[in-house]
Amino acid sequence: MKKLIALVLALALCLGMASFAAADDAKVKVGIINLDPSESGYREANVNDLHKVFTEENGYDASFVTAPTADKQLDAFNTFVNEGVDYILVSAAETTGWDEALAAAQEAGIGVFLFDRMIDCDPSLYLAAVVSDMTKEGETAVAWLESLNLEEYNILHIQGQMGSDAQIGRSTPLAEKAAADDKWTIVAEGTGGDSWSEDEARKIAEAAINEGKSFNIVYAENDGMARGVVAALDAAGITHGVEGDVKIMGFDCNKWALRLLLAGEWNYDGQCSPFQAEVIDGMIKTLKAGGQIEGLNEKNQYINEEKGFDATTITEDDVNTYGLGE
Amino acid sequence: MDKKKESIWKRMGIGQLAIPLTALALLFLFNLIRDPGFFSVVVNINNSGNPVLGGNLISVINSASELAIISMGMTLVTAACGGQDISVGAVGAISASVFIKLLIGMGNVTAGTLTVATLACIATAVAFMMFNGTLVSVFRIQPMIATLILYSCGRSIAYWITGSATPQVDSPIITAIGMTIPGIPVPTPVFMVILVGVILAVIFKRTNTALYTQSVGINQGAARLNGISPTAVKMLAFGLLGVCVAVASVIATCRMSQVSHKTLLVDIEMDAILAVAIGGNSLGGGKFRMSGSILGAYIITMLTVTLLAMGINSVNIKAYKAVVIIIIVGAGSPVIKNRMILWRNRRSAAAVKGGAAS
């Protein structure tokens, strides 16, 4: 009896191995390491997008790991290397400390893609990095402002978490333009802090209004903080939007923010695209077909296309296609 | 002269409030010299066509509302347990998520749905605070360690409840709570502070809560021998803190008509603890003055608004704030107090000697 059970078990094991092997042949094994979806609407959309693209129907055997810190991400990375997946996709919590792990993956013949966040290392350690260029987002927004041809640009500037990529990328082009052009003045500046807080933004705007500073542009580095400023404007009876006195600019393209654009209450929203999955999917399929990944710069980066929406031209379709969250 | 003044202060029952009141007076004086326009109050017509008060002073009393309400609860917990709750911001995010989820789920915002959502919000915050209270009173875990649990995972729970990054609710009733009621130019949150303050004052007046809390805070064993249950008193303190947190989270939600689990009432725990300390309350528990903590909340906010009005970039505000707070808290510390008394005695002794020599 015991022998019979052992035989059955052994058979089952063999069958299991066989089925695994079969799966290996047909499907591309990918390990995807991301940040926590609760981090922001951006991250949520990013995680959902990856889940939508890397499916079994699309020919993938994908494992997903979300971790908020670099050490947990590195653990997951090493596990994937040991498992022997075909590709690893990483959005790193920290830019440093990855060299060893990346080298180990390369030695094991595993291709690594970076998405959304860069890692400080030799570009040869990864196949491609699909990222957003935050400075381009700032430049696009400043170019839009310029195209309005206003007599004067008096700007209330609400910054994000100081030192973050997004803050630097969105602040720098504005600061440079304000320094170069006499018509451009930053009348008040403040930060929403490490959490990009709406309420901090509201307080900064309130203080500027109380001090009698007059501004005709609000350049807020994310949608939430723009909302905070608008609450202060509403309370003080300052009109805003397409028909109003003050132009409202936000970033991130949350669905609710784009709806406010559509309603004419805000003027501009800059996109920071969380959709990199399809690009990477395309690259993997090209590699599988024996091709080469194209369109990369000298740092092996693929810069995502990014849009800026204007309240006067945005459509319902744009809101549904590009809006994040609900 | 000095002695006379001291006795007047004591007779008026000011005592421990001397330092926060002085700090507040100095802040007023500073602004008066810097720019008297700081105190101007104007009437604006808001974008819905209703009159609203504006100006820096209004900003102070309006923006301090959440902090003032939470400081009241924090004072009670501090007095009863000799420790602080650092999870108030995170629990606020949880209760706010329940509040907004229910409002969205029930469709229209009416007085009825608002009441249901508010009650659920209070129940949630009280339940989570009771969890903290149980750890502290029954399992005798240090308050800061016990509340560290919800401090670190509370915002994730809030995210799990909301299910999306920023649920929003759009309704004139919500704006009326977060901003102003049409026809009444004073911001509504100010009335909420008064409401919570009055309710707590009535509780203290009608019951022995304050006395029991103090006796448990001063000497648990002695309190128990006198028939006061330390567990019950601590649970009550946490429960009342829960109510305060819920009210503050409703205000914060209505201000923005949305809940962002990451930013709602963020960092408020530190300011609330600070408010309790600036108010002259011992962070080691025991005797307390709720009015001191409320004053502390307004001092902190006035400091922020003053710095913002001076055009200081908010990046640097925390540093300036820290300097002022070191001075206020330092002035109230027992070491400095004793030094001052010694110095004064020595000076008066020297004066007496000098007088005798001449």
Side-chain angles (χ1 to χ4, degrees):
Chain A
M1 188 64 198
K2 257 187 193 165
K3 270 187 189 163
L4 193 70
I5 290 173
L7 193 72
V8 169
L9 277 176
L11 254 171
L13 201 64
C14 282
L15 273 172
M17 297 279 265
S19 66
F20 259 120
D24 264 359
D25 280 343
K27 305 233 147 73
V28 181
K29 273 185 94 173
V30 289
I32 299 174
I33 301 166
N34 208 338
L35 292 150
D36 219 35
S38 70
E39 180 199 83
S40 58
Y42 173 92
R43 190 59 55 191
E44 198 187 8
N46 182 259
V47 170
N48 289 342
D49 180 49
L50 287 160
H51 275 279
K52 219 160 44 189
V53 171
F54 290 95
T55 56
E56 265 182 55
E57 297 85 66
N58 199 14
Y60 290 100
D61 173 15
S63 320
F64 296 88
V65 174
T66 59
T69 56
D71 55 324
K72 283 184 192 144
Q73 289 191 328
L74 272 168
D75 281 348
F77 191 95
N78 293 331
T79 313
F80 283 140
V81 172
N82 293 338
E83 272 176 23
V85 295
D86 298 314
Y87 297 101
I88 301 178
L89 279 58
V90 191
S91 181
E94 271 169 43
T95 54
T96 53
W98 286 86
D99 301 64
E100 248 172 68
L102 289 174
Q106 198 166 43
E107 222 163 84
I110 297 167
V112 176
F113 288 96
L114 310 185
F115 63 96
D116 172 44
R117 299 223 183 166
M118 284 304 296
I119 287 175
D120 259 342
C121 68
D122 193 322
S124 67
L125 286 175
Y126 50 86
L127 295 173
V130 182
V131 291
S132 297
D133 185 347
M134 303 284 185
T135 313
K136 213 166 115 194
E137 285 169 26
E139 282 164 1
T140 313
V142 170
W144 175 84
L145 254 183
E146 236 178 327
S147 74
L148 297 178
N149 270 324
L150 302 178
E151 300 256 306
E152 267 187 316
Y153 289 85
N154 294 318
I155 303 159
L156 172 64
H157 183 197
I158 310 284
Q159 297 171 290
Q161 177 185 22
M162 298 308 285
S164 65
D165 271 357
Q167 180 267 322
I168 294 169
R170 291 165 191 179
S171 290
T172 313
L174 182 72
E176 280 169 2
K177 179 71 192 169
D181 196 328
D182 288 341
K183 284 200 301 186
W184 290 53
T185 327
I186 294 177
V187 292
E189 194 166 51
T191 169
D194 291 354
S195 56
W196 308 66
S197 154
E198 300 96 323
D199 206 42
E200 286 299 316
R202 183 184 64 80
K203 285 179 196 163
I204 294 164
E206 223 173 69
I209 296 165
N210 289 341
E211 287 300 294
K213 288 175 179 158
S214 84
F215 48 88
N216 60 348
I217 289 149
V218 171
Y219 187 99
E221 289 177 3
N222 85 352
D223 288 338
M225 297 192 301
R227 191 182 179 89
V229 173
V230 168
L233 297 183
D234 277 337
I238 298 170
T239 58
H240 51 84
V242 177
E243 308 273 308
D245 295 335
V246 177
K247 310 242 174 288
I248 308 292
M249 301 173 73
F251 284 92
D252 286 353
C253 287
N254 285 298
K255 215 167 235 168
W256 59 263
L258 293 184
R259 282 196 202 110
L260 287 172
L261 235 64
L262 201 61
E265 293 195 27
W266 290 16
N267 299 75
Y268 176 91
D269 207 0
Q271 192 192 21
C272 177
S273 170
F275 309 122
Q276 300 111 1
E278 252 172 56
V279 177
I280 299 176
D281 173 44
M283 287 175 176
I284 290 178
K285 292 205 164 129
T286 316
L287 286 173
K288 244 183 114 186
Q292 282 278 326
I293 302 173
E294 279 168 15
L296 301 182
N297 64 13
E298 74 283 356
K299 278 159 117 184
N300 264 352
Q301 286 172 324
Y302 177 94
I303 306 294
N304 242 349
E305 263 312 303
E306 233 115 32
K307 294 176 194 299
F309 294 99
D310 184 317
T312 53
T313 54
I314 193 171
T315 62
E316 189 78 50
D317 271 352
D318 288 335
V319 177
N320 293 326
T321 317
Y322 298 104
L324 308 183
E326 284 311 306
Chain B
M1 184 70 201
D2 257 345
K3 267 187 188 163
K4 208 173 182 187
K5 209 195 228 166
E6 227 179 60
S7 64
I8 288 172
W9 283 66
K10 274 212 176 119
R11 229 183 297 147
M12 282 168 67
I14 288 173
Q16 72 173 66
L17 298 187
I19 288 170
L21 279 175
T22 316
L24 199 62
L26 283 175
L27 266 175
F28 267 89
L29 194 68
F30 175 75
N31 276 309
L32 202 63
I33 296 166
R34 187 185 63 82
D35 174 19
F38 183 86
F39 298 103
S40 63
V41 172
V42 291
V43 181
N44 296 318
I45 302 299
N46 73 2
N47 281 344
S48 322
N50 297 303
V52 174
L53 292 181
N56 285 314
L57 273 188
I58 303 299
S59 286
V60 173
I61 60 165
N62 183 16
S63 294
S65 304
E66 293 97 317
L67 181 57
I69 291 173
I70 290 184
S71 320
M72 294 186 216
M74 189 68 87
T75 314
L76 265 183
V77 167
T78 301
C81 310
Q84 289 73 40
D85 185 309
I86 56 169
S87 71
V88 284
V91 172
I94 298 173
S95 61
S97 303
V98 170
F99 176 73
I100 201 159
K101 258 322 223 203
L102 280 176
L103 276 185
I104 294 170
M106 289 187 290
N108 274 344
V109 180
T110 61
T113 57
L114 188 71
T115 314
V116 173
T118 310
L119 288 177
C121 173
I122 293 174
T124 311
V126 170
F128 275 95
M129 279 300 163
M130 285 299 186
F131 169 73
N132 285 342
T134 312
L135 290 181
V136 171
S137 64
V138 180
F139 294 96
R140 307 253 176 109
I141 300 171
Q142 286 216 339
M144 203 158 287
I145 304 301
T147 56
L148 190 62
I149 300 167
L150 281 173
Y151 170 80
S152 43
C153 75
R155 292 191 185 271
S156 300
I157 298 175
Y159 172 76
W160 176 72
I161 294 169
T162 56
S164 85
T166 44
Q168 299 182 329
V169 58
D170 198 20
S171 149
I173 299 181
I174 294 296
T175 333
I177 299 171
M179 317 281 277
T180 46
I181 299 165
I184 302 172
V186 179
T188 319
V190 178
F191 296 114
M192 312 270 261
V193 179
I194 296 171
L195 182 72
V196 174
V198 166
I199 290 174
L200 284 177
V202 168
I203 292 178
F204 291 158
K205 197 100 197 157
R206 291 289 156 115
T207 69
N208 289 328
T209 313
L211 181 68
Y212 288 174
T213 306
Q214 291 187 357
S215 46
V216 168
I218 293 168
N219 189 334
Q220 243 194 120
R224 193 187 295 111
L225 290 177
N226 281 293
I228 303 168
S229 156
T231 311
V233 167
K234 286 177 184 175
M235 290 300 262
L236 180 68
F238 273 100
L240 287 174
L241 175 61
V243 176
C244 294
V245 167
V247 176
S249 75
V250 167
I251 297 175
T253 305
C254 295
R255 269 197 211 281
M256 293 296 150
S257 312
Q258 75 170 19
V259 171
S260 158
H261 68 279
K262 267 190 88 182
T263 60
L264 193 109
L265 295 178
V266 70
D267 292 344
I268 201 159
E269 50 276 344
M270 294 310 153
D271 277 348
I273 295 170
L274 205 58
V276 174
I278 291 177
N281 296 299
S282 156
L283 293 186
K287 287 185 105 177
F288 68 94
R289 283 285 287 269
M290 196 141 297
S291 46
S293 306
I294 299 171
L295 262 180
Y298 287 102
I299 290 172
I300 293 171
T301 314
M302 183 148 180
L303 194 56
T304 314
V305 171
T306 304
L307 291 167
L308 279 173
M310 287 165 71
I312 289 171
N313 192 319
S314 48
V315 184
N316 308 322
I317 279 188
K318 275 187 186 157
Y320 287 96
K321 232 168 105 176
V323 172
V324 179
I325 283 158
I326 290 169
I327 296 171
I328 300 175
V329 177
S333 78
V335 175
I336 301 283
K337 262 189 193 160
N338 288 341
R339 281 276 158 83
M340 289 294 280
I341 290 167
L342 263 177
W343 179 71
R344 203 194 294 151
N345 288 349
R346 216 175 288 156
R347 224 181 46 160
S348 54
V352 168
K353 239 188 220 167
S358 69

